[in-house]
Amino acid sequence: TNEAVIVLSSNNSVPAPPLFKMTKFNTGANPGGKLNFIDGEQWESKEVMFTNVTITAVVNATRGTWAFSDSAGNTLSMYDWSTHFTLATRTPPRDPNYVVPPVNTKIDTIRGYVGTVSGGEASRGYRISPIFPSDVKYGAILPGIISHRRNPVIVTKDSTPVISAKAFKQTGSFFNLSNVKLVYRVNNGAWIESTMVAAQAGVDSIYAAKIPKLNTGDYVYYFIKATDANAQTTTLANTANLVQFDTSKGTFFYKVIDRTAQPVLSIRDVQYTPFINGRTPYLGAVDSVGGIITADTASLFKAGLSLGGTSVYYMQSGNQPFSGVWVVGADSIMAKVANGDSVVVRGSIQEFNDVTEIFNVSSARIVSKANPLPAAVSLKTDRFGPSASNGNLNAEPYEGMLVRFDSVRVTSIDPVFQDVYQYEVTNSTAPILVARDGRNSYTNDTASTATGIKIKVGNKFNSITGILYYNNGRYKLVPRTNTDFGTLTGVSVTQTAIVPGTFTLEQNYPNPFNPSTNIQYGLPVGGLVTLKVYNVLGQEVVTLINQQQNPGTYTVNFDATRFASGMYLYRISAGNFTQVKRMMLIK
């Protein structure tokens, strides 16, 4: 068809974009913060503006995208729709003069269009895409600080640790460094400033200072700040992406230990943090850590099935917070350990996708075998819902631990785009993701070719146990084998007002059936009612009802999709009344 564009007028001025606070679209880190869909959605594909923000991280070095934050740490990420703000190949060609601005660059004003992206960066939510070169007005460029080091990483009562970092004038800045300071305190004492010195002032950019010897059990908190000749200061507070320059999100820290009394680190030593950045205090250390194996090759798959899933080994040292950790090592070393083994592993303490792990294990010594596993901690799912970002102090302490959720309901079998290996359950006000990285039969894959016990929205488990994991901005439960799942019910119950004169249990209808049937029973008085299904060997296969019920007539729909053809028995117990009937499933 022929189409025409009618120009009603020309040379009109473009309306100025509205000036917003960052919290209009996101509160906190990005990803991992709280996306404001209610306010943000109405501005999608529209132009907005922010002022007085600072570039805090490079998001994608290949594309040249970056994140920026306000003074409160609320963060958004820009996107490279324009040819002027990208390193990627474009048609027409990209702007050859574009250079990724350094971290800590101040931005006086950024304006751009609101949008979202899919794929690996979808978790960042709303993105701001500047279009024209004038859409980003840069301010002063602050000093740079990178490459924090502590030697030794694990500080003993007899050591004097050296703290070092690379501090420098960033490209484009007009101001040389004035000073670099180490700021530390012991326990809850006053902050102490110590001048950091470079080996060759003005030439060497590595600055260092010492913290004096302290007593066993002391906690030391510290950060580094560099100030230039224009009195502009950059603070390096921790190693967490996007918040590493923000002392309100935590600082570097360590606990002084006595290696004579404690030759092996505890898992709590490795995992404990009082800060919401979620970082281990011993990042990069190579040392020995002990605990009981809670997941092995009989429990989890070697390579996780779900997107960003976990793998194989975990160990735990009790059921108090900060007692579990992920262990990653070669088969030649780890294959000899099994659930219940008390082991000491030696490896590098790392953060992988915001999960603390003992990585590249070089040895695993079995202390004893067949120990009881730590009891799973019973919790509510809302601790780990979509708004619980990494480091959340209600959730982070249980990372890597065995946890249990009682009386859960399946709320979604497709909560993650194009991922048939995760589903959601809840026993509270917010759900947790369940990742199918364990060697169990339960599946949310609805394909006709899929094997296993298929679950549906509305199904209920009286409990689910598993390892707590974190990835792609969400906490996840990883059940191991079928024994981690309690009784599954997939029933609907209706009640009529008719109150029978006696207890009754009717024959199911239809019978034979495929795949579902109805079971009706009557209660002349209220009380605890159980309705269970057994196979012909007398083994219980499912509990349909286990609850207090009022007098009345009830109909229960039993869905047997996950069961094999054959004869089954159903049995009711209510007060002193017990009755059993048979039913036939034919597929």
Side-chain angles (χ1 to χ4, degrees), residues 234-290:
T234 294
T235 298
L236 183 61
N238 56 77
T239 59
N241 290 337
L242 302 182
V243 297
Q244 59 188 320
F245 304 103
D246 186 354
T247 55
S248 70
K249 302 299 188 298
T251 65
F252 298 107
F253 77 101
Y254 62 86
K255 175 186 172 184
V256 179
I257 65 173
D258 182 352
R259 291 319 293 261
T260 301
Q262 187 183 350
V264 175
L265 292 179
S266 71
I267 295 175
R268 181 179 172 83
D269 288 333
V270 172
Q271 280 281 28
Y272 172 73
T273 176
F275 302 124
I276 63 172
N277 59 55
R279 296 269 132 162
T280 172
Y282 299 128
L283 187 66
V286 175
D287 214 290
S288 298
V289 185

Side-chain angles (χ1 to χ4, degrees), residues 391-413:
N392 182 297
L393 293 179
N394 281 323
E396 178 76 15
Y398 300 99
E399 178 187 280
M401 291 181 59
L402 281 174
V403 297
R404 186 182 79 248
F405 301 104
D406 295 317
S407 301
V408 299
R409 174 174 55 87
V410 178
T411 55
S412 176
I413 61 170

Side-chain angles (χ1 to χ4, degrees), residues 149-170:
R149 296 290 185 270
R150 182 173 70 240
N151 184 24
V153 180
I154 299 173
V155 181
T156 67
K157 65 176 183 176
D158 300 318
S159 58
T160 305
V162 176
I163 311 300
S164 64
K166 181 178 181 180
F168 52 96
K169 179 180 77 172
Q170 298 205 78

Side-chain angles (χ1 to χ4, degrees), residues 58-293:
V58 175
V59 170
N60 187 319
T62 302
R63 299 179 68 107
T65 55
W66 33 268
F68 56 97
S69 303
D70 62 15
S71 59
N74 303 306
T75 303
L76 288 172
S77 300
M78 58 82 70
Y79 200 62
D80 59 339
W81 282 346
S82 166
T83 60
H84 292 290
F85 295 93
T86 187
L87 299 178
T89 301
R90 286 285 192 270
T91 302
R94 74 174 187 86
D95 185 344
N97 296 315
Y98 176 68
V99 176
V100 180
V103 169
N104 282 326
T105 298
K106 285 187 175 181
I107 295 179
D108 293 330
T109 304
I110 176 172
R111 55 192 286 174
Y113 288 86
V114 178
T116 58
V117 298
S118 59
E121 294 189 354
S123 61
R124 294 187 179 277
Y126 293 111
R127 307 290 286 269
I128 307 302
S129 296
I131 302 299
F132 302 105
S134 60
D135 283 348
V136 179
K137 295 181 179 179
Y138 297 109
I141 299 176
L142 277 64
I145 310 180
I146 59 174
S147 304
H148 158 268
R149 296 290 185 270
R150 182 173 70 240
N151 184 24
V153 180
I154 299 173
V155 181
T156 67
K157 65 176 183 176
D158 300 318
S159 58
T160 305
V162 176
I163 311 300
S164 64
K166 181 178 181 180
F168 52 96
K169 179 180 77 172
Q170 298 205 78
T171 302
S173 174
F174 298 103
F175 305 104
N176 293 322
L177 291 183
S178 173
N179 60 75
V180 181
K181 297 288 185 68
L182 170 66
V183 185
Y184 71 94
R185 70 177 181 179
V186 181
N187 299 319
N188 293 317
W191 290 102
I192 301 169
E193 286 195 359
S194 177
T195 299
M196 302 182 75
V197 179
Q200 302 179 71
V203 178
D204 190 352
S205 60
I206 303 298
Y207 291 77
K210 294 181 179 180
I211 294 177
K213 295 179 182 179
L214 295 165
N215 298 319
T216 300
D218 282 342
Y219 276 93
V220 179
Y221 307 91
Y222 66 91
F223 59 91
I224 301 163
K225 65 178 183 179
T227 305
D228 66 16
N230 196 37
Q232 299 177 131
T233 298
T234 294
T235 298
L236 183 61
N238 56 77
T239 59
N241 290 337
L242 302 182
V243 297
Q244 59 188 320
F245 304 103
D246 186 354
T247 55
S248 70
K249 302 299 188 298
T251 65
F252 298 107
F253 77 101
Y254 62 86
K255 175 186 172 184
V256 179
I257 65 173
D258 182 352
R259 291 319 293 261
T260 301
Q262 187 183 350
V264 175
L265 292 179
S266 71
I267 295 175
R268 181 179 172 83
D269 288 333
V270 172
Q271 280 281 28
Y272 172 73
T273 176
F275 302 124
I276 63 172
N277 59 55
R279 296 269 132 162
T280 172
Y282 299 128
L283 187 66
V286 175
D287 214 290
S288 298
V289 185
I292 303 291
I293 296 294

